[in-house]
Amino acid sequence: MNIAWKEMKKSKAKFMILGSIVFLVSLLTFMISGLANGLSQESAGLIKDLPAGQFYMTKEADQTYSMSRVDRRIQKQILSKEKDATAFSIQMGFLNDGDGKQQSVAFVTATSSKQFKNVEKGEIVLDKSMEDNGIKIGDALTNNQYKGKFVVKGFVKHSKYSHASVAYISMEDYKEIYGTDEMQLIFIPEGGTVPTFSGMGSFSNQQFLNTISSYKSEQMSLNMIIWFLVVISGMLFAIFFYMMNVQKIGLYGILKAIGVKTSSLFKIMWTQMVFITVIALSIAIFLSQIFTRVAPTGMPFSLTTETTVQLSIVFLMIGFIGATLSGLQIKSVQPLQAIQQGEV
Amino acid sequence: MIFKIDNVKKSYKNGEVTEEILKGVNLILREGELTSLVGASGSGKSTLLTIAAGLQPASDGQIIFEGKNLTSMNAEQVRKIRAHQFGFVFQFAHLVPFLTVEEQLLLMLDVSESKLKIREQKKEVDKILKLVEMDHRKHAYPSSLSGGEKQRVAIARAIIHRPKVLFADEPTASLDSKRSKDVMTLISHLTKTLNIATLIVTHDEEMLSFADHIIKMSDGQILQKV
């Protein structure tokens, strides 16, 4: 007989309160997670969307890529040795549109590669968000350090860096603006062994992201909030089930007296926990997915299926641990005590 | 003879002092017979019943049920015997608040691992509820039952799985005189018709007329067997 279900049916209000709290906490976690992911895309989408591989910068740069200048001779050696390698640079800057309105962008230039947009001199390829801001293909944009004009050749999706739109320019134009044709970084897509080059430090994708201090601190704060919410939800489960179990000590004792196994009592509690969590999570996932679709275009929000599944599993696990810890008292319930305590 | 309590002792340590609650009690329960344990408060009668029912261990002595010694069994073996072979009626009905009368009995069949199919189980429930005259309230929840009705359901729950021994600890203590007599008549009737060995603890002298054997206890010992 499914006692767990019968109890939930009879005590709807009690279980709905618990369910609604789990729902609110999980929805909040999904939303913050979506925001964290969205912000991380805004902050380093350019890097995050690259395939797994190794980033190289000079050791003298001390893990600050903006200080790195790869010697042209070394760059040539690496690019000739590693076919898929790309040398590239990222610099923050400004673009002026036809109305003289200035927009912050991240200029990116790279040697010929599959990973980065290659553009000719005088051309520029921008992140899609610039199109949403009113810039069209064929528009001419200027920069204070650039004599000529950049003609917009196209747009790419989700290409952001340091909360600014990425603007792909040619190496010649980059040299004109920043006065150097030395690249900051070299990227080699994963191909089994990790090659080493003298005077160059190598970083995996995640390691490289962690060298970007603004990205690291931003993500650290948001991740701390997410895990704090996960821990709170675990504690909520433990407290709620503890209170429910305390109320049912007498009942558990009587059930034990008539021969109900302790494991069956745990199964009742676990069934209720899984049922409440699954329902609460389903509603939270449904609403967060709706939000993903209706969120304003400029809002940095990205909640992937992978993140949702991961968080849901964590919620189920933490709910299970919380309920089980609080349920340990079931094990110590003595039937005799319950009988002597009076009516349940 | 189905149940034998052989020289059972029980003592508790209270600080430096050891209190002896039972001082070597011997008792035999037989099928179809109702044995009443009477005595003043603190005489050890409830302790004896709970030890006999496997709800707490004895300090010494043996509890023999169908030739097997309960005191040498592990907790799981004792639980199985409680679930399959014993029935319990307590001072309060102790019904599960979120189950209907019918479900209380189905739960007991489930606990005793009844081999009956669900339709047969429901038939059995109807039969037992008729026996305790509660068939008209089978879909009611405990909160809507009177004290006497609750106790009748508790008795039905105690016998639905056809136990060999029925333990009842002050089953009439929370009931008025008329309802007490009704409950005792029912227990006595079921003891005979279902051939159960019943051990009942009572304070109420009026209820002794239903017993086949009366055991008077005092200070942890049996004073008199009638």
Side-chain angles (χ1 to χ4, degrees), chain B residues 139-155:
Chain B
H139 298 301
Y141 284 97
S143 56
S144 66
L145 301 177
S146 70
E149 284 178 324
K150 280 184 193 171
Q151 205 59 316
R152 282 177 175 275
V153 177
I155 292 168

Side-chain angles (χ1 to χ4, degrees), chain A residues 56-67:
Chain A
Y56 295 85
M57 68 173 94
T58 57
K59 280 185 178 162
E60 291 85 31
D62 197 21
Q63 301 199 357
T64 309
Y65 79 90
S66 57
M67 304 296 283

Side-chain angles (χ1 to χ4, degrees), chain A residues 160-172:
Chain A
K160 291 255 189 170
Y161 187 80
S162 196
H163 300 278
S165 299
V166 164
Y168 291 97
I169 54 172
S170 69
M171 290 178 75
E172 292 101 304

Side-chain angles (χ1 to χ4, degrees), chain A residues 209-249:
Chain A
L209 285 170
N210 287 336
T211 65
I212 307 167
S213 54
S214 60
Y215 173 86
K216 196 181 167 187
S217 53
E218 187 180 270
Q219 287 300 303
M220 220 197 259
S221 314
L222 289 163
N223 283 330
M224 204 185 79
I225 295 171
I226 292 167
W227 290 110
F228 189 62
L229 285 170
V230 169
V231 171
I232 284 179
S233 66
M235 283 168 71
L236 276 172
F237 261 112
I239 292 164
F240 259 88
F241 275 95
Y242 178 79
M243 282 161 69
M244 281 206 273
N245 287 334
V246 165
Q247 284 176 349
K248 292 196 288 188
I249 289 283

Side-chain angles (χ1 to χ4, degrees), chain A residues 180-287:
Chain A
T180 178
D181 57 357
E182 282 178 335
M183 296 290 103
Q184 295 163 333
L185 296 154
I186 290 175
F187 175 70
I188 304 175
E190 206 166 65
T193 54
V194 176
T196 52
F197 305 104
S198 101
M200 304 283 279
S202 78
F203 305 85
S204 66
N205 295 44
Q206 194 54 49
Q207 284 170 337
F208 179 65
L209 285 170
N210 287 336
T211 65
I212 307 167
S213 54
S214 60
Y215 173 86
K216 196 181 167 187
S217 53
E218 187 180 270
Q219 287 300 303
M220 220 197 259
S221 314
L222 289 163
N223 283 330
M224 204 185 79
I225 295 171
I226 292 167
W227 290 110
F228 189 62
L229 285 170
V230 169
V231 171
I232 284 179
S233 66
M235 283 168 71
L236 276 172
F237 261 112
I239 292 164
F240 259 88
F241 275 95
Y242 178 79
M243 282 161 69
M244 281 206 273
N245 287 334
V246 165
Q247 284 176 349
K248 292 196 288 188
I249 289 283
L251 175 65
Y252 289 145
I254 297 302
L255 290 173
K256 275 187 172 185
I258 64 172
V260 175
K261 288 182 198 170
T262 304
S263 61
S264 303
L265 299 176
F266 269 96
K267 277 180 201 161
I268 293 171
M269 190 181 66
W270 287 329
T271 307
Q272 290 171 342
M273 186 285 295
V274 169
F275 184 82
I276 292 166
T277 315
V278 167
I279 298 275
L281 281 176
S282 304
I283 302 170
I285 290 169
F286 177 71
L287 290 180

